[in-house]
Amino acid sequence: GQTKLVSSHKEFLSFATKRYLVQFLRSNGIEANAKDSHFTIYQKAALLPKSVWRTATLNYLKDKYKTTFQNFIENRSDSDFTLDKDIENLSVQKLLDRNPDPIRDKTEQGVGWESWEPSNLTGLDAVDVSAQMAHHGFVTKGPVMLIPRAS
């Protein structure tokens, strides 16, 4: 691979989720809505100094990968060198397979998680999406059932 200098707001902000970007803009006094397109959000962010959106993106990434990075550091084979087998400690799924508690503790601190209970819905049209949620790092206490909208 080659190193490439990332200097545009769009390149930096593309690492963050839309929800985070809307909150970021609002916290900096810029009106933003979840219905805004990514292009519009990027344009609004470009009004801010480079250091502000650069710092916001880096903070987002640090927070996003904090749990897996701590797991990686704590479980390295050697404190001076990283071995090939150590790299799997950066995987959210490998961390969940070994011990779901560190990630569960973090997600349950979020708004709405503290009182969440598994669904007991057994409708024929319901779809269990808990496996897909686990694939993306979300830990559930049981099946998460979704009912598709009627067309």
mmCIF file of all heavy atoms in Angstrom, residues 39-86:
data_model
loop_
_atom_site.group_PDB
_atom_site.id
_atom_site.type_symbol
_atom_site.label_atom_id
_atom_site.label_comp_id
_atom_site.label_asym_id
_atom_site.label_seq_id
_atom_site.Cartn_x
_atom_site.Cartn_y
_atom_site.Cartn_z
ATOM 1 N N PHE A 39 -23.966 14.607 0.934
ATOM 2 C CA PHE A 39 -23.352 15.733 0.221
ATOM 3 C C PHE A 39 -23.631 17.046 0.956
ATOM 4 O O PHE A 39 -22.721 17.854 1.169
ATOM 5 C CB PHE A 39 -23.889 15.791 -1.217
ATOM 6 C CG PHE A 39 -23.332 16.930 -2.015
ATOM 7 C CD1 PHE A 39 -22.037 16.884 -2.521
ATOM 8 C CD2 PHE A 39 -24.104 18.069 -2.260
ATOM 9 C CE1 PHE A 39 -21.518 17.940 -3.244
ATOM 10 C CE2 PHE A 39 -23.595 19.125 -2.986
ATOM 11 C CZ PHE A 39 -22.301 19.059 -3.485
ATOM 12 N N THR A 40 -24.877 17.243 1.372
ATOM 13 C CA THR A 40 -25.257 18.464 2.096
ATOM 14 C C THR A 40 -24.535 18.539 3.437
ATOM 15 O O THR A 40 -24.044 19.604 3.826
ATOM 16 C CB THR A 40 -26.783 18.495 2.315
ATOM 17 O OG1 THR A 40 -27.428 18.421 1.043
ATOM 18 C CG2 THR A 40 -27.221 19.755 3.032
ATOM 19 N N ILE A 41 -24.462 17.425 4.126
ATOM 20 C CA ILE A 41 -23.773 17.395 5.415
ATOM 21 C C ILE A 41 -22.293 17.731 5.234
ATOM 22 O O ILE A 41 -21.716 18.500 6.001
ATOM 23 C CB ILE A 41 -23.965 16.026 6.101
ATOM 24 C CG1 ILE A 41 -25.428 15.893 6.545
ATOM 25 C CG2 ILE A 41 -23.012 15.855 7.281
ATOM 26 C CD1 ILE A 41 -25.803 14.528 7.058
ATOM 27 N N TYR A 42 -21.664 17.177 4.218
ATOM 28 C CA TYR A 42 -20.247 17.465 3.951
ATOM 29 C C TYR A 42 -20.042 18.942 3.628
ATOM 30 O O TYR A 42 -19.066 19.550 4.059
ATOM 31 C CB TYR A 42 -19.712 16.604 2.811
ATOM 32 C CG TYR A 42 -19.656 15.111 3.102
ATOM 33 C CD1 TYR A 42 -19.745 14.198 2.075
ATOM 34 C CD2 TYR A 42 -19.515 14.624 4.398
ATOM 35 C CE1 TYR A 42 -19.680 12.828 2.326
ATOM 36 C CE2 TYR A 42 -19.459 13.265 4.663
ATOM 37 C CZ TYR A 42 -19.536 12.373 3.615
ATOM 38 O OH TYR A 42 -19.469 11.028 3.864
ATOM 39 N N GLN A 43 -20.972 19.515 2.850
ATOM 40 C CA GLN A 43 -20.869 20.941 2.518
ATOM 41 C C GLN A 43 -20.970 21.812 3.768
ATOM 42 O O GLN A 43 -20.224 22.786 3.911
ATOM 43 C CB GLN A 43 -21.967 21.338 1.529
ATOM 44 C CG GLN A 43 -21.695 20.937 0.107
ATOM 45 C CD GLN A 43 -22.795 21.446 -0.811
ATOM 46 O OE1 GLN A 43 -23.977 21.383 -0.490
ATOM 47 N NE2 GLN A 43 -22.389 21.967 -1.960
ATOM 48 N N LYS A 44 -21.878 21.456 4.658
ATOM 49 C CA LYS A 44 -22.034 22.224 5.892
ATOM 50 C C LYS A 44 -20.790 22.096 6.763
ATOM 51 O O LYS A 44 -20.349 23.063 7.381
ATOM 52 C CB LYS A 44 -23.276 21.758 6.652
ATOM 53 C CG LYS A 44 -24.569 22.136 5.955
ATOM 54 C CD LYS A 44 -25.782 21.615 6.697
ATOM 55 C CE LYS A 44 -27.072 22.017 5.993
ATOM 56 N NZ LYS A 44 -28.265 21.565 6.705
ATOM 57 N N ALA A 45 -20.213 20.903 6.821
ATOM 58 C CA ALA A 45 -19.008 20.683 7.629
ATOM 59 C C ALA A 45 -17.818 21.448 7.063
ATOM 60 O O ALA A 45 -16.926 21.860 7.814
ATOM 61 C CB ALA A 45 -18.695 19.205 7.707
ATOM 62 N N ALA A 46 -17.811 21.650 5.751
ATOM 63 C CA ALA A 46 -16.705 22.372 5.115
ATOM 64 C C ALA A 46 -16.643 23.828 5.577
ATOM 65 O O ALA A 46 -15.604 24.477 5.426
ATOM 66 C CB ALA A 46 -16.837 22.306 3.592
ATOM 67 N N LEU A 47 -17.733 24.328 6.151
ATOM 68 C CA LEU A 47 -17.747 25.693 6.663
ATOM 69 C C LEU A 47 -16.899 25.839 7.924
ATOM 70 O O LEU A 47 -16.498 26.941 8.276
ATOM 71 C CB LEU A 47 -19.189 26.133 6.961
ATOM 72 C CG LEU A 47 -20.162 26.113 5.774
ATOM 73 C CD1 LEU A 47 -21.578 26.390 6.248
ATOM 74 C CD2 LEU A 47 -19.723 27.110 4.715
ATOM 75 N N LEU A 48 -16.655 24.733 8.589
ATOM 76 C CA LEU A 48 -15.855 24.737 9.814
ATOM 77 C C LEU A 48 -14.373 24.620 9.481
ATOM 78 O O LEU A 48 -14.015 24.100 8.426
ATOM 79 C CB LEU A 48 -16.273 23.562 10.713
ATOM 80 C CG LEU A 48 -17.707 23.594 11.220
ATOM 81 C CD1 LEU A 48 -18.079 22.266 11.852
ATOM 82 C CD2 LEU A 48 -17.875 24.720 12.222
ATOM 83 N N PRO A 49 -13.507 25.060 10.370
ATOM 84 C CA PRO A 49 -12.064 24.921 10.127
ATOM 85 C C PRO A 49 -11.663 23.444 10.032
ATOM 86 O O PRO A 49 -12.281 22.578 10.656
ATOM 87 C CB PRO A 49 -11.423 25.561 11.373
ATOM 88 C CG PRO A 49 -12.483 26.379 11.997
ATOM 89 C CD PRO A 49 -13.789 25.780 11.615
ATOM 90 N N LYS A 50 -10.643 23.186 9.261
ATOM 91 C CA LYS A 50 -10.153 21.821 9.039
ATOM 92 C C LYS A 50 -9.850 21.118 10.359
ATOM 93 O O LYS A 50 -10.171 19.937 10.535
ATOM 94 C CB LYS A 50 -8.901 21.857 8.166
ATOM 95 C CG LYS A 50 -8.283 20.508 7.899
ATOM 96 C CD LYS A 50 -7.055 20.649 7.018
ATOM 97 C CE LYS A 50 -6.424 19.316 6.718
ATOM 98 N NZ LYS A 50 -5.263 19.430 5.820
ATOM 99 N N SER A 51 -9.251 21.820 11.290
ATOM 100 C CA SER A 51 -8.870 21.198 12.563
ATOM 101 C C SER A 51 -10.084 20.676 13.326
ATOM 102 O O SER A 51 -10.005 19.659 14.014
ATOM 103 C CB SER A 51 -8.089 22.183 13.428
ATOM 104 O OG SER A 51 -8.888 23.315 13.722
ATOM 105 N N VAL A 52 -11.229 21.335 13.181
ATOM 106 C CA VAL A 52 -12.434 20.936 13.907
ATOM 107 C C VAL A 52 -12.978 19.621 13.363
ATOM 108 O O VAL A 52 -13.235 18.684 14.115
ATOM 109 C CB VAL A 52 -13.517 22.046 13.844
ATOM 110 C CG1 VAL A 52 -14.821 21.576 14.454
ATOM 111 C CG2 VAL A 52 -13.015 23.291 14.546
ATOM 112 N N TRP A 53 -13.173 19.513 12.035
ATOM 113 C CA TRP A 53 -13.723 18.269 11.500
ATOM 114 C C TRP A 53 -12.701 17.141 11.496
ATOM 115 O O TRP A 53 -13.052 15.973 11.601
ATOM 116 C CB TRP A 53 -14.407 18.427 10.148
ATOM 117 C CG TRP A 53 -13.759 19.234 9.073
ATOM 118 C CD1 TRP A 53 -14.082 20.506 8.720
ATOM 119 C CD2 TRP A 53 -12.713 18.835 8.181
ATOM 120 N NE1 TRP A 53 -13.299 20.918 7.674
ATOM 121 C CE2 TRP A 53 -12.454 19.906 7.315
ATOM 122 C CE3 TRP A 53 -11.972 17.670 8.024
ATOM 123 C CZ2 TRP A 53 -11.484 19.861 6.318
ATOM 124 C CZ3 TRP A 53 -10.998 17.617 7.029
ATOM 125 C CH2 TRP A 53 -10.776 18.709 6.193
ATOM 126 N N ARG A 54 -11.432 17.477 11.437
ATOM 127 C CA ARG A 54 -10.397 16.447 11.537
ATOM 128 C C ARG A 54 -10.409 15.839 12.940
ATOM 129 O O ARG A 54 -10.414 14.624 13.108
ATOM 130 C CB ARG A 54 -9.026 17.043 11.233
ATOM 131 C CG ARG A 54 -7.900 16.043 11.285
ATOM 132 C CD ARG A 54 -6.542 16.730 11.029
ATOM 133 N NE ARG A 54 -5.474 15.778 11.011
ATOM 134 C CZ ARG A 54 -4.882 15.275 12.094
ATOM 135 N NH1 ARG A 54 -5.288 15.661 13.295
ATOM 136 N NH2 ARG A 54 -3.914 14.389 12.001
ATOM 137 N N THR A 55 -10.447 16.683 13.964
ATOM 138 C CA THR A 55 -10.473 16.220 15.349
ATOM 139 C C THR A 55 -11.738 15.415 15.630
ATOM 140 O O THR A 55 -11.689 14.371 16.286
ATOM 141 C CB THR A 55 -10.373 17.417 16.318
ATOM 142 O OG1 THR A 55 -9.153 18.109 16.058
ATOM 143 C CG2 THR A 55 -10.410 16.975 17.764
ATOM 144 N N ALA A 56 -12.872 15.878 15.120
ATOM 145 C CA ALA A 56 -14.140 15.176 15.333
ATOM 146 C C ALA A 56 -14.092 13.769 14.738
ATOM 147 O O ALA A 56 -14.538 12.802 15.358
ATOM 148 C CB ALA A 56 -15.294 15.968 14.731
ATOM 149 N N THR A 57 -13.540 13.641 13.541
ATOM 150 C CA THR A 57 -13.452 12.334 12.893
ATOM 151 C C THR A 57 -12.508 11.413 13.660
ATOM 152 O O THR A 57 -12.823 10.247 13.886
ATOM 153 C CB THR A 57 -12.979 12.480 11.436
ATOM 154 O OG1 THR A 57 -13.889 13.327 10.738
ATOM 155 C CG2 THR A 57 -12.920 11.128 10.747
ATOM 156 N N LEU A 58 -11.370 11.920 14.063
ATOM 157 C CA LEU A 58 -10.422 11.094 14.821
ATOM 158 C C LEU A 58 -11.017 10.656 16.157
ATOM 159 O O LEU A 58 -10.844 9.496 16.569
ATOM 160 C CB LEU A 58 -9.108 11.843 15.026
ATOM 161 C CG LEU A 58 -8.305 12.088 13.743
ATOM 162 C CD1 LEU A 58 -7.077 12.944 14.037
ATOM 163 C CD2 LEU A 58 -7.917 10.778 13.083
ATOM 164 N N ASN A 59 -11.742 11.537 16.827
ATOM 165 C CA ASN A 59 -12.405 11.168 18.084
ATOM 166 C C ASN A 59 -13.460 10.092 17.857
ATOM 167 O O ASN A 59 -13.607 9.166 18.651
ATOM 168 C CB ASN A 59 -13.022 12.385 18.756
ATOM 169 C CG ASN A 59 -11.980 13.303 19.353
ATOM 170 O OD1 ASN A 59 -10.851 12.896 19.615
ATOM 171 N ND2 ASN A 59 -12.343 14.556 19.549
ATOM 172 N N TYR A 60 -14.201 10.203 16.754
ATOM 173 C CA TYR A 60 -15.210 9.198 16.412
ATOM 174 C C TYR A 60 -14.549 7.837 16.228
ATOM 175 O O TYR A 60 -15.002 6.828 16.778
ATOM 176 C CB TYR A 60 -15.959 9.603 15.136
ATOM 177 C CG TYR A 60 -16.821 8.498 14.596
ATOM 178 C CD1 TYR A 60 -18.077 8.243 15.131
ATOM 179 C CD2 TYR A 60 -16.368 7.681 13.557
ATOM 180 C CE1 TYR A 60 -18.861 7.209 14.648
ATOM 181 C CE2 TYR A 60 -17.143 6.647 13.076
ATOM 182 C CZ TYR A 60 -18.388 6.414 13.618
ATOM 183 O OH TYR A 60 -19.161 5.377 13.147
ATOM 184 N N LEU A 61 -13.454 7.795 15.463
ATOM 185 C CA LEU A 61 -12.780 6.524 15.193
ATOM 186 C C LEU A 61 -12.153 5.939 16.458
ATOM 187 O O LEU A 61 -12.209 4.729 16.687
ATOM 188 C CB LEU A 61 -11.721 6.704 14.106
ATOM 189 C CG LEU A 61 -12.272 6.984 12.714
ATOM 190 C CD1 LEU A 61 -11.151 7.359 11.752
ATOM 191 C CD2 LEU A 61 -13.052 5.789 12.190
ATOM 192 N N LYS A 62 -11.573 6.793 17.290
ATOM 193 C CA LYS A 62 -10.986 6.316 18.546
ATOM 194 C C LYS A 62 -12.060 5.689 19.430
ATOM 195 O O LYS A 62 -11.847 4.629 20.031
ATOM 196 C CB LYS A 62 -10.306 7.463 19.291
ATOM 197 C CG LYS A 62 -8.999 7.884 18.669
ATOM 198 C CD LYS A 62 -8.418 9.073 19.430
ATOM 199 C CE LYS A 62 -7.182 9.606 18.746
ATOM 200 N NZ LYS A 62 -6.638 10.797 19.434
ATOM 201 N N ASP A 63 -13.206 6.339 19.520
ATOM 202 C CA ASP A 63 -14.284 5.809 20.342
ATOM 203 C C ASP A 63 -14.842 4.514 19.757
ATOM 204 O O ASP A 63 -15.121 3.563 20.483
ATOM 205 C CB ASP A 63 -15.393 6.857 20.483
ATOM 206 C CG ASP A 63 -16.463 6.411 21.459
ATOM 207 O OD1 ASP A 63 -16.106 6.068 22.599
ATOM 208 O OD2 ASP A 63 -17.647 6.396 21.074
ATOM 209 N N LYS A 64 -14.981 4.471 18.440
ATOM 210 C CA LYS A 64 -15.545 3.299 17.780
ATOM 211 C C LYS A 64 -14.689 2.051 18.000
ATOM 212 O O LYS A 64 -15.211 0.960 18.215
ATOM 213 C CB LYS A 64 -15.690 3.578 16.282
ATOM 214 C CG LYS A 64 -16.268 2.424 15.496
ATOM 215 C CD LYS A 64 -16.441 2.762 14.040
ATOM 216 C CE LYS A 64 -17.024 1.597 13.274
ATOM 217 N NZ LYS A 64 -17.188 1.896 11.862
ATOM 218 N N TYR A 65 -13.372 2.214 17.945
ATOM 219 C CA TYR A 65 -12.477 1.060 18.029
ATOM 220 C C TYR A 65 -11.793 0.926 19.390
ATOM 221 O O TYR A 65 -10.879 0.119 19.543
ATOM 222 C CB TYR A 65 -11.433 1.134 16.918
ATOM 223 C CG TYR A 65 -12.067 1.010 15.555
ATOM 224 C CD1 TYR A 65 -12.157 2.109 14.712
ATOM 225 C CD2 TYR A 65 -12.600 -0.188 15.128
ATOM 226 C CE1 TYR A 65 -12.755 1.997 13.464
ATOM 227 C CE2 TYR A 65 -13.202 -0.313 13.893
ATOM 228 C CZ TYR A 65 -13.271 0.789 13.060
ATOM 229 O OH TYR A 65 -13.873 0.672 11.840
ATOM 230 N N LYS A 66 -12.254 1.660 20.379
ATOM 231 C CA LYS A 66 -11.629 1.662 21.700
ATOM 232 C C LYS A 66 -11.608 0.266 22.330
ATOM 233 O O LYS A 66 -10.583 -0.195 22.817
ATOM 234 C CB LYS A 66 -12.370 2.640 22.611
ATOM 235 C CG LYS A 66 -11.774 2.817 23.965
ATOM 236 C CD LYS A 66 -12.602 3.838 24.734
ATOM 237 C CE LYS A 66 -11.914 4.280 25.985
ATOM 238 N NZ LYS A 66 -12.687 5.326 26.657
ATOM 239 N N THR A 67 -12.733 -0.419 22.319
ATOM 240 C CA THR A 67 -12.839 -1.727 22.972
ATOM 241 C C THR A 67 -11.931 -2.755 22.317
ATOM 242 O O THR A 67 -11.209 -3.475 23.002
ATOM 243 C CB THR A 67 -14.297 -2.220 22.949
ATOM 244 O OG1 THR A 67 -15.124 -1.224 23.523
ATOM 245 C CG2 THR A 67 -14.459 -3.507 23.718
ATOM 246 N N THR A 68 -11.964 -2.833 20.996
ATOM 247 C CA THR A 68 -11.127 -3.834 20.326
ATOM 248 C C THR A 68 -9.648 -3.478 20.428
ATOM 249 O O THR A 68 -8.805 -4.367 20.547
ATOM 250 C CB THR A 68 -11.524 -3.998 18.847
ATOM 251 O OG1 THR A 68 -11.531 -2.733 18.211
ATOM 252 C CG2 THR A 68 -12.880 -4.664 18.717
ATOM 253 N N PHE A 69 -9.314 -2.195 20.411
ATOM 254 C CA PHE A 69 -7.912 -1.811 20.547
ATOM 255 C C PHE A 69 -7.392 -2.165 21.942
ATOM 256 O O PHE A 69 -6.281 -2.675 22.083
ATOM 257 C CB PHE A 69 -7.715 -0.319 20.260
ATOM 258 C CG PHE A 69 -6.279 0.108 20.355
ATOM 259 C CD1 PHE A 69 -5.364 -0.294 19.391
ATOM 260 C CD2 PHE A 69 -5.833 0.884 21.404
ATOM 261 C CE1 PHE A 69 -4.027 0.080 19.466
ATOM 262 C CE2 PHE A 69 -4.503 1.261 21.501
ATOM 263 C CZ PHE A 69 -3.598 0.857 20.525
ATOM 264 N N GLN A 70 -8.196 -1.917 22.976
ATOM 265 C CA GLN A 70 -7.783 -2.295 24.328
ATOM 266 C C GLN A 70 -7.581 -3.801 24.427
ATOM 267 O O GLN A 70 -6.628 -4.275 25.045
ATOM 268 C CB GLN A 70 -8.817 -1.830 25.355
ATOM 269 C CG GLN A 70 -8.791 -0.348 25.592
ATOM 270 C CD GLN A 70 -9.930 0.109 26.495
ATOM 271 O OE1 GLN A 70 -10.929 -0.576 26.670
ATOM 272 N NE2 GLN A 70 -9.768 1.297 27.058
ATOM 273 N N ASN A 71 -8.468 -4.574 23.803
ATOM 274 C CA ASN A 71 -8.335 -6.026 23.776
ATOM 275 C C ASN A 71 -7.037 -6.416 23.074
ATOM 276 O O ASN A 71 -6.321 -7.311 23.533
ATOM 277 C CB ASN A 71 -9.541 -6.644 23.068
ATOM 278 C CG ASN A 71 -9.445 -8.151 22.991
ATOM 279 O OD1 ASN A 71 -9.341 -8.833 23.992
ATOM 280 N ND2 ASN A 71 -9.464 -8.665 21.774
ATOM 281 N N PHE A 72 -6.731 -5.767 21.984
ATOM 282 C CA PHE A 72 -5.498 -6.032 21.233
ATOM 283 C C PHE A 72 -4.267 -5.775 22.098
ATOM 284 O O PHE A 72 -3.373 -6.621 22.193
ATOM 285 C CB PHE A 72 -5.475 -5.142 19.981
ATOM 286 C CG PHE A 72 -4.165 -5.113 19.258
ATOM 287 C CD1 PHE A 72 -3.748 -6.191 18.503
ATOM 288 C CD2 PHE A 72 -3.361 -3.988 19.325
ATOM 289 C CE1 PHE A 72 -2.546 -6.156 17.836
ATOM 290 C CE2 PHE A 72 -2.156 -3.941 18.659
ATOM 291 C CZ PHE A 72 -1.740 -5.036 17.909
ATOM 292 N N ILE A 73 -4.216 -4.623 22.759
ATOM 293 C CA ILE A 73 -3.064 -4.271 23.598
ATOM 294 C C ILE A 73 -2.916 -5.236 24.768
ATOM 295 O O ILE A 73 -1.811 -5.692 25.076
ATOM 296 C CB ILE A 73 -3.192 -2.811 24.108
ATOM 297 C CG1 ILE A 73 -3.120 -1.823 22.942
ATOM 298 C CG2 ILE A 73 -2.150 -2.484 25.156
ATOM 299 C CD1 ILE A 73 -1.824 -1.847 22.169
ATOM 300 N N GLU A 74 -4.019 -5.565 25.419
ATOM 301 C CA GLU A 74 -3.968 -6.444 26.592
ATOM 302 C C GLU A 74 -3.571 -7.869 26.257
ATOM 303 O O GLU A 74 -3.003 -8.564 27.097
ATOM 304 C CB GLU A 74 -5.332 -6.447 27.293
ATOM 305 C CG GLU A 74 -5.678 -5.133 27.950
ATOM 306 C CD GLU A 74 -7.122 -5.059 28.408
ATOM 307 O OE1 GLU A 74 -7.859 -6.070 28.285
ATOM 308 O OE2 GLU A 74 -7.525 -3.979 28.870
ATOM 309 N N ASN A 75 -3.854 -8.331 25.042
ATOM 310 C CA ASN A 75 -3.629 -9.735 24.689
ATOM 311 C C ASN A 75 -2.498 -9.961 23.698
ATOM 312 O O ASN A 75 -2.397 -11.049 23.137
ATOM 313 C CB ASN A 75 -4.928 -10.339 24.149
ATOM 314 C CG ASN A 75 -5.994 -10.384 25.211
ATOM 315 O OD1 ASN A 75 -5.788 -10.945 26.276
ATOM 316 N ND2 ASN A 75 -7.123 -9.755 24.948
ATOM 317 N N ARG A 76 -1.657 -8.961 23.480
ATOM 318 C CA ARG A 76 -0.512 -9.148 22.580
ATOM 319 C C ARG A 76 0.445 -10.167 23.160
ATOM 320 O O ARG A 76 0.675 -10.218 24.362
ATOM 321 C CB ARG A 76 0.220 -7.833 22.361
ATOM 322 C CG ARG A 76 -0.453 -6.987 21.313
ATOM 323 C CD ARG A 76 0.162 -5.653 21.118
ATOM 324 N NE ARG A 76 1.587 -5.696 20.798
ATOM 325 C CZ ARG A 76 2.350 -4.621 20.758
ATOM 326 N NH1 ARG A 76 1.838 -3.449 21.033
ATOM 327 N NH2 ARG A 76 3.615 -4.715 20.465
ATOM 328 N N SER A 77 1.053 -10.969 22.283
ATOM 329 C CA SER A 77 1.980 -12.014 22.706
ATOM 330 C C SER A 77 3.260 -11.431 23.287
ATOM 331 O O SER A 77 3.835 -11.963 24.212
ATOM 332 C CB SER A 77 2.337 -12.915 21.523
ATOM 333 O OG SER A 77 1.173 -13.460 20.977
ATOM 334 N N ASP A 78 3.714 -10.328 22.714
ATOM 335 C CA ASP A 78 4.980 -9.723 23.119
ATOM 336 C C ASP A 78 4.761 -8.215 23.177
ATOM 337 O O ASP A 78 4.119 -7.638 22.303
ATOM 338 C CB ASP A 78 6.051 -10.075 22.081
ATOM 339 C CG ASP A 78 7.433 -9.565 22.452
ATOM 340 O OD1 ASP A 78 7.566 -8.852 23.456
ATOM 341 O OD2 ASP A 78 8.385 -9.886 21.722
ATOM 342 N N SER A 79 5.287 -7.583 24.183
ATOM 343 C CA SER A 79 5.058 -6.144 24.337
ATOM 344 C C SER A 79 5.835 -5.304 23.314
ATOM 345 O O SER A 79 5.510 -4.149 23.089
ATOM 346 C CB SER A 79 5.422 -5.692 25.745
ATOM 347 O OG SER A 79 6.796 -5.938 25.996
ATOM 348 N N ASP A 80 6.874 -5.889 22.691
ATOM 349 C CA ASP A 80 7.680 -5.128 21.734
ATOM 350 C C ASP A 80 7.270 -5.343 20.285
ATOM 351 O O ASP A 80 7.467 -4.465 19.453
ATOM 352 C CB ASP A 80 9.163 -5.492 21.889
ATOM 353 C CG ASP A 80 9.712 -5.078 23.244
ATOM 354 O OD1 ASP A 80 9.244 -4.056 23.784
ATOM 355 O OD2 ASP A 80 10.603 -5.781 23.757
ATOM 356 N N PHE A 81 6.704 -6.507 19.968
ATOM 357 C CA PHE A 81 6.377 -6.831 18.582
ATOM 358 C C PHE A 81 4.956 -7.363 18.480
ATOM 359 O O PHE A 81 4.475 -8.037 19.375
ATOM 360 C CB PHE A 81 7.335 -7.889 18.028
ATOM 361 C CG PHE A 81 8.768 -7.457 18.023
ATOM 362 C CD1 PHE A 81 9.639 -7.855 19.031
ATOM 363 C CD2 PHE A 81 9.245 -6.626 17.019
ATOM 364 C CE1 PHE A 81 10.957 -7.449 19.033
ATOM 365 C CE2 PHE A 81 10.569 -6.218 17.015
ATOM 366 C CZ PHE A 81 11.427 -6.627 18.026
ATOM 367 N N THR A 82 4.319 -7.069 17.364
ATOM 368 C CA THR A 82 2.996 -7.611 17.089
ATOM 369 C C THR A 82 3.150 -8.781 16.142
ATOM 370 O O THR A 82 3.741 -8.653 15.073
ATOM 371 C CB THR A 82 2.093 -6.545 16.440
ATOM 372 O OG1 THR A 82 1.970 -5.449 17.352
ATOM 373 C CG2 THR A 82 0.721 -7.096 16.128
ATOM 374 N N LEU A 83 2.622 -9.926 16.535
ATOM 375 C CA LEU A 83 2.678 -11.125 15.712
ATOM 376 C C LEU A 83 1.406 -11.237 14.884
ATOM 377 O O LEU A 83 0.387 -10.612 15.195
ATOM 378 C CB LEU A 83 2.841 -12.362 16.596
ATOM 379 C CG LEU A 83 4.053 -12.356 17.541
ATOM 380 C CD1 LEU A 83 4.033 -13.595 18.423
ATOM 381 C CD2 LEU A 83 5.350 -12.272 16.742
ATOM 382 N N ASP A 84 1.473 -12.079 13.838
ATOM 383 C CA ASP A 84 0.306 -12.272 12.975
ATOM 384 C C ASP A 84 -0.927 -12.699 13.767
ATOM 385 O O ASP A 84 -2.022 -12.220 13.527
ATOM 386 C CB ASP A 84 0.602 -13.313 11.898
ATOM 387 C CG ASP A 84 1.595 -12.825 10.869
ATOM 388 O OD1 ASP A 84 1.821 -11.601 10.797
ATOM 389 O OD2 ASP A 84 2.152 -13.661 10.134
ATOM 390 N N LYS A 85 -0.736 -13.600 14.725
ATOM 391 C CA LYS A 85 -1.881 -14.106 15.490
ATOM 392 C C LYS A 85 -2.508 -13.027 16.383
ATOM 393 O O LYS A 85 -3.652 -13.146 16.786
ATOM 394 C CB LYS A 85 -1.488 -15.319 16.317
ATOM 395 C CG LYS A 85 -0.515 -15.034 17.428
ATOM 396 C CD LYS A 85 -0.205 -16.288 18.214
ATOM 397 C CE LYS A 85 0.699 -15.922 19.389
ATOM 398 N NZ LYS A 85 0.803 -17.003 20.328
ATOM 399 N N ASP A 86 -1.747 -11.970 16.686
ATOM 400 C CA ASP A 86 -2.273 -10.882 17.520
ATOM 401 C C ASP A 86 -3.305 -10.031 16.780
ATOM 402 O O ASP A 86 -4.155 -9.398 17.409
ATOM 403 C CB ASP A 86 -1.139 -9.965 17.996
ATOM 404 C CG ASP A 86 -0.164 -10.676 18.921
ATOM 405 O OD1 ASP A 86 -0.598 -11.601 19.635
ATOM 406 O OD2 ASP A 86 1.023 -10.303 18.921
#
